[in-house]
Amino acid sequence: MGFFSFIGSCISGVCSAVGSFISGACSVFTKAVAGIAGIATGALSVVLGPLGPILGPIIANLIIKVIGAVLFKLAKLLHITKEEEKPEEVGYRVDEASRHEDWKKREEFASFQDYYDYLRQQIPDEEIDQDKLNKNSGAYRIIGSSTLYHEIGEEEGMDLPGEFMMDIGRGKLSAEEVKTVLKTFKDLKVDGKSIADYWEGNMTFREEKPITEALRTAFAVLYPEKSKEEINDRLDDIRSATRGTIDNGDSLETLKRLYKDEISQMEQERADIAKSGDSDALREFDRVK
């Protein structure tokens, strides 16, 4: 699968991953990702907006930001990107590159760092359309995150499913936890595509058991200060958050607990804006960005 094709399918996988929380928006999203450039039109807000009845735009925004921050950090740990690069700027440049058939392709470079240095030359910082970037920052963050996710999979030699990218946000996994999960699946020689199946409960008990035991061991190494019960609780939280449906109150409660501090802060910010009576600012705050 080509570079841009993967990103499109990866973003489509994110749609599938949140499908249990939304209604009627996936077809809009699918049309948008048919051409990667279509993401920058604001379709992302259309897709994630219906999360409102369950999680609301506040959690939707938090999940998107966590995905970008975690993948960005992991990409740096794996020496895929440089420190100064931001997911939304990566997304902006990758999106612009998809519009230029005459530009060099990712496949022509030995590494993503080399490719992105080329994109920086094609689009210097001062030539970034900041209004466009700010207006579609959520969409560009998803494109950038998908790009980094693709490169992480390439670096690890794994065929990663798009759905797992959303699971990272819903489970609030850290970069170190994601790295541990990927290594565990590699060591078990389990197909990378099965990662989302595991977290989202699409495996039989017999298939799940050896993976769970391996993850417990790996997380114990990652967190030597934690007890066995704390390790089990953390893995249970990730499973609960990623296996939720519209009728799953446990999943919603887990998400609210995982994001408790962030939700409280953002709810206060929203309340302050609402109190000011600035309806335009309130709509902007509620937009997934």
Side-chain angles (χ1 to χ4, degrees):
M1 183 181 293
F3 179 68
F4 289 112
S5 296
F6 174 87
I7 297 172
S9 64
C10 187
I11 298 170
S12 187
V14 173
C15 177
S16 298
V18 298
S20 58
F21 289 115
I22 64 179
S23 59
C26 280
S27 60
V28 176
F29 190 70
T30 301
K31 286 182 180 179
V33 299
I36 190 73
I39 290 296
T41 64
L44 188 68
S45 296
V46 176
V47 173
L48 291 182
L51 277 166
I54 296 297
L55 301 178
I58 287 178
I59 293 185
N61 276 317
L62 289 173
I63 287 174
I64 292 170
K65 289 178 180 177
V66 163
I67 291 171
V70 168
L71 293 177
F72 179 52
K73 182 177 180 179
L74 183 54
K76 286 196 295 181
L77 289 175
L78 297 175
H79 307 292
I80 293 170
T81 59
K82 299 177 181 177
E83 187 169 352
E84 68 270 15
E85 290 154 12
K86 299 177 181 179
E88 54 267 35
E89 291 182 358
V90 171
Y92 178 92
R93 287 187 168 99
V94 168
D95 176 69
E96 289 298 313
S98 72
R99 304 169 188 267
H100 294 272
E101 289 295 326
D102 56 321
W103 287 13
K104 293 181 180 179
K105 308 304 179 188
R106 167 64 181 93
E107 294 74 16
E108 299 178 52
F109 296 85
S111 70
F112 181 75
Q113 275 200 28
D114 291 342
Y115 176 59
Y116 196 67
D117 283 343
Y118 166 74
L119 292 186
R120 278 183 171 277
Q121 294 173 13
Q122 298 298 101
I123 312 173
D125 289 346
E126 61 272 15
E127 292 185 15
I128 291 178
D129 185 335
Q130 292 297 330
D131 287 340
K132 185 177 180 181
L133 179 64
N134 293 334
K135 182 178 180 180
N136 301 286
S137 59
Y140 286 129
R141 191 174 292 119
I142 288 293
I143 295 174
S145 298
S146 299
T147 301
L148 298 181
Y149 186 65
H150 169 268
E151 294 298 329
I152 289 167
E154 290 288 302
E155 181 69 21
E156 295 295 295
M158 302 181 74
D159 187 5
L160 299 178
E163 291 85 353
F164 180 59
M165 192 171 79
M166 191 66 185
D167 293 338
I168 290 170
R170 287 173 62 180
K172 204 181 181 183
L173 275 75
S174 68
E176 292 76 14
E177 286 176 336
V178 175
K179 188 176 181 180
T180 298
V181 169
L182 297 182
K183 184 179 185 304
T184 300
F185 274 77
K186 280 181 66 176
D187 290 347
L188 291 173
K189 294 181 170 54
V190 177
D191 189 335
K193 290 184 177 180
S194 299
I195 294 179
D197 286 335
Y198 172 78
W199 290 115
E200 295 173 16
N202 298 324
M203 286 184 171
T204 66
F205 175 76
R206 179 175 293 185
E207 291 171 328
E208 277 192 6
K209 186 176 180 181
I211 298 175
T212 299
E213 291 176 351
L215 284 171
R216 285 172 179 164
T217 300
F219 270 57
V221 173
L222 179 63
Y223 298 119
E225 76 284 2
K226 293 186 181 294
S227 67
K228 180 179 178 180
E229 289 73 21
E230 288 173 320
I231 295 295
N232 288 338
D233 286 345
R234 176 55 183 143
L235 292 172
D236 286 344
D237 276 349
I238 299 171
R239 282 191 290 264
S240 175
T242 56
R243 294 183 184 190
T245 66
I246 198 167
D247 299 317
N248 189 333
D250 289 340
S251 176
L252 176 57
E253 290 306 311
T254 300
L255 282 163
K256 289 166 66 176
R257 178 162 47 80
L258 289 176
Y259 284 96
K260 179 180 178 181
D261 293 341
E262 293 89 346
I263 291 172
S264 178
Q265 179 181 345
M266 293 186 74
E267 283 181 335
Q268 184 59 55
E269 291 177 12
R270 190 184 191 284
D272 291 342
I273 295 172
K275 187 176 181 180
S276 73
D278 190 337
S279 58
D280 290 337
L282 189 61
R283 279 195 297 271
E284 175 61 18
F285 183 90
D286 286 341
R287 183 174 67 88
V288 175
K289 52 185 184 287

